[in-house]
Amino acid sequence: MADERLIVALDFHKMDDVKNLVNSLGNSVIFYKVGMELFYSVGTEVVTWLKSQNKKIFLDLKLHDIPNTVAGGLCSLMNLGADILNVHAAGGFTMMKTAAERLREESAKLGIVKPKLIAITVLTSINQAEWCGALKISEQVVQFAKTAKDAGLDGVVASPQEAALIREACGKDFLIVTPGIRPAGSDINDQSRISTPAAAIQNGANYLVVGRPIRAAENPKLAAEKILAEIK
Ligand code: C5P
């Protein structure tokens, strides 16, 4: 049943909660996302533990600073062994290019597999009413995606609603990771630009990040299995 395309967001602040969820999902889920709530609470322990369970890790720390600082920060994170790292595309072309180059050089020097580096475009919680950019959200997302590709990044994080436009603009090998996934009838919470798992895959997403629809479900394993079935 396991399918790498489902990434479950571990938005907890205690290792006990992480272990309970990961153990209850068992072999059906192999990819997990560690974000700022968890990493700022428990630090590197969670990455070491997930690796000991043979899980893959998207370390979603959304770096956003000047080029040298971001590149240095990513090299430190790469040593932990995460499979995907990310930065904000709003940090600019030079920041993304410097980060991608430094990760390539450092991983080659250390003889380790370079983690995928992807860029956050426009957060899936933002809607057109609160957006204050000059372009429409979808235009800005595509522009960020093209810039990330030109800078040598492997892909982007975007809403499933923009996945098809990104696929068209950036080609078949560019990774598209989509949070904002809500199975039909489930609670939207603070998200805005959402879609169902099936629609996200149909629109070209490679990976679906799902948090509350699984974490807050009465039976998380059943919720994950329903989403996996929809992905298939
Ligand atoms: O609970 P929910 O399914 O909304 O969780 C989505 C996860 O994806 C959260 O951990 C959130 O931080 C993350 N995320 C997002 N939008 C982005 C990037 C990451 O919702 N653009």
Side-chain angles (χ1 to χ4, degrees), residues 57-70:
I57 302 151
F58 169 18
L59 194 49
D60 176 30
L61 297 180
K62 300 185 172 68
L63 277 65
H64 191 172
D65 207 318
I66 59 171
N68 188 55
T69 304
V70 167

Side-chain angles (χ1 to χ4, degrees), residues 36-181:
M36 54 182 84
E37 177 181 355
L38 183 57
F39 197 77
Y40 293 166
S41 304
V42 304
T44 57
E45 180 190 352
V46 62
V47 180
T48 313
W49 184 77
L50 286 169
K51 283 176 70 75
S52 76
Q53 305 299 302
N54 294 317
K55 301 300 183 189
K56 292 187 138 190
I57 302 151
F58 169 18
L59 194 49
D60 176 30
L61 297 180
K62 300 185 172 68
L63 277 65
H64 191 172
D65 207 318
I66 59 171
N68 188 55
T69 304
V70 167
L74 287 171
C75 288
S76 303
L77 294 176
M78 178 172 69
N79 290 326
L80 302 178
D83 301 276
I84 304 180
L85 298 174
N86 63 357
V87 298
H88 268 285
F93 175 78
T94 308
M95 180 267 257
M96 289 194 277
K97 186 165 183 280
T98 308
E101 281 171 0
R102 283 271 293 282
L103 275 187
R104 265 193 293 275
E105 286 162 15
E106 247 347 86
S107 57
K109 219 189 285 171
L110 296 171
I112 56 176
V113 178
K114 185 190 82 65
K116 301 286 185 207
L117 180 62
I118 62 178
I120 299 286
T121 55
V122 176
L123 296 173
T124 45
S125 54
I126 293 178
N127 58 32
Q128 197 62 52
E130 75 168 320
W131 174 242
C132 51
L135 299 176
K136 267 173 49 187
I137 292 180
S138 57
E139 290 165 354
Q140 182 63 71
V141 168
V142 170
Q143 190 171 313
F144 274 149
K146 285 181 178 166
T147 308
K149 189 176 180 202
D150 290 345
L153 268 67
D154 301 293
V156 285
V157 182
S159 147
Q161 295 182 6
E162 290 114 28
L165 290 172
I166 298 169
R167 182 63 68 220
E168 196 187 324
C170 298
K172 66 174 176 42
D173 296 327
F174 198 61
L175 293 179
I176 304 175
V177 179
T178 60
I181 300 296

Side-chain angles (χ1 to χ4, degrees), residues 9 11 33 35 60 62 120-125 157-158 179-182 188-191 209-213 215:
D11 292 326
K33 185 177 86 70
D60 176 30
K62 300 185 172 68
I120 299 286
T121 55
V122 176
L123 296 173
T124 45
S125 54
V157 182
I181 300 296
R182 290 294 180 268
I188 290 175
N189 313 111
D190 57 351
Q191 296 284 14
V209 174
V210 186
R212 285 160 290 187
R215 217 172 53 238

Side-chain angles (χ1 to χ4, degrees), residues 2-7 30-31 201 205-209 228 231-232:
D3 188 325
E4 232 189 60
R5 291 176 292 178
L6 173 63
I7 303 181
I30 46 179
F31 223 130
I201 292 289
N206 300 96
Y207 293 100
L208 274 48
V209 174
L228 285 163
I231 289 173
K232 286 215 163 58

